[in-house]
Amino acid sequence: DGRVLVEAVLTVGPESPEAVDAVRELRERLAEDAPDAGALVGGVSATDLDTLETARRDFAVVVPLVLVVVLLVLVVLLRALVAPLLLMAANVLSFAAALGVGTLVFDHVLDLPGADPVVPLFAFVFLVALGIDYSIFLMSRAREETLAHGHRDGVLRALTVTGGVITSAGVVLAATFAALAVIPLLFLLQLAFLVAFGVLVDALLVRTVLVPALALDVGPRTWWPGRAGRVGA
């Protein structure tokens, strides 16, 4: 049908970053030099490039969408604006810490550089969902206790009551996800480490130390503009 197939062999490995860059440059030059030719570039390297760009686009779309939906749920549940924002910031910080430590471990300890492009997105969805569960446990109880006993005593009472449950749930869940690391697939190994480590950070540090400390530092304004925000410290 008047079409021409040109086969080309790269001078670098087909799955290397250099090959991906070569395909990207080739597509750009074809689009500039022959915009009406309808030229397509395929192959292993092109598939890797398409997967990478799709994963980046999905991450840029899904992450803000998830954060907005979760924030709205927290606002309705806690009847406040400041507390949900604090919780979302803590969630994002926890995910960033897990991703940073995971990068160091994979690159410099396990000598497994690189990752499946969808690993960060999967890890984000898992960690945000699990972290918000712990946030709901803690802060919904803190709101109830604040209405009855004041802000400071309410937060401390909520931490005392829910701390053991959150810690136990986090340890069990981390151990469950860590079991996926025995499967000989790089994708599952990386996902298992990120989620298990992130859950432990979330349960042992964020929900038991960081979130209560932020709530105490901010004071009753944590519950603004809800009724709990008008309760004395």
Side-chain angles (χ1 to χ4, degrees), residues 5-187:
L5 174 64
V6 178
E7 295 186 355
V9 179
L10 298 173
T11 58
V12 294
E15 296 182 350
S16 63
E18 293 79 7
V20 173
D21 292 337
V23 171
R24 182 184 291 109
E25 181 181 356
L26 180 58
R27 286 177 172 177
E28 292 175 352
R29 293 187 62 179
L30 287 173
E32 294 175 358
D33 299 340
D36 299 326
L40 301 175
V41 180
V44 175
S45 303
T47 301
D48 291 342
L49 176 60
D50 293 339
T51 302
L52 179 61
E53 292 182 345
T54 301
R56 288 175 175 171
R57 183 195 61 195
D58 291 345
F59 192 85
V61 172
V62 173
V63 169
L65 182 61
V66 169
L67 292 178
V68 169
V69 171
V70 171
L71 180 63
L72 293 177
V73 172
L74 289 175
V75 168
V76 173
L77 176 67
L78 300 178
R79 298 176 180 85
L81 291 177
V82 177
L85 291 174
L86 291 177
L87 295 178
M88 294 309 302
N91 255 100
V92 173
L93 181 63
S94 176
F95 166 73
L99 193 62
V101 172
T103 301
L104 293 176
V105 171
F106 296 140
D107 288 353
H108 303 292
V109 177
L110 300 180
D111 195 22
L112 297 172
D116 192 298
V118 300
V119 167
L121 179 60
F122 276 55
F124 176 83
V125 172
F126 278 119
L127 290 177
V128 168
L130 298 172
I132 290 303
D133 284 345
Y134 300 150
S135 298
I136 291 174
F137 271 122
L138 175 63
M139 296 305 285
S140 61
R141 183 58 180 264
R143 183 180 181 277
E144 296 175 0
E145 296 289 349
T146 295
L147 291 172
H149 304 283
H151 176 69
R152 180 177 177 82
D153 289 343
V155 172
L156 295 179
R157 284 172 177 265
L159 179 60
T160 301
V161 173
T162 64
V165 176
I166 292 176
T167 301
S168 301
V171 171
V172 171
L173 197 58
T176 302
F177 273 99
L180 294 175
V182 302
I183 301 177
L185 292 175
L186 181 60
F187 167 78

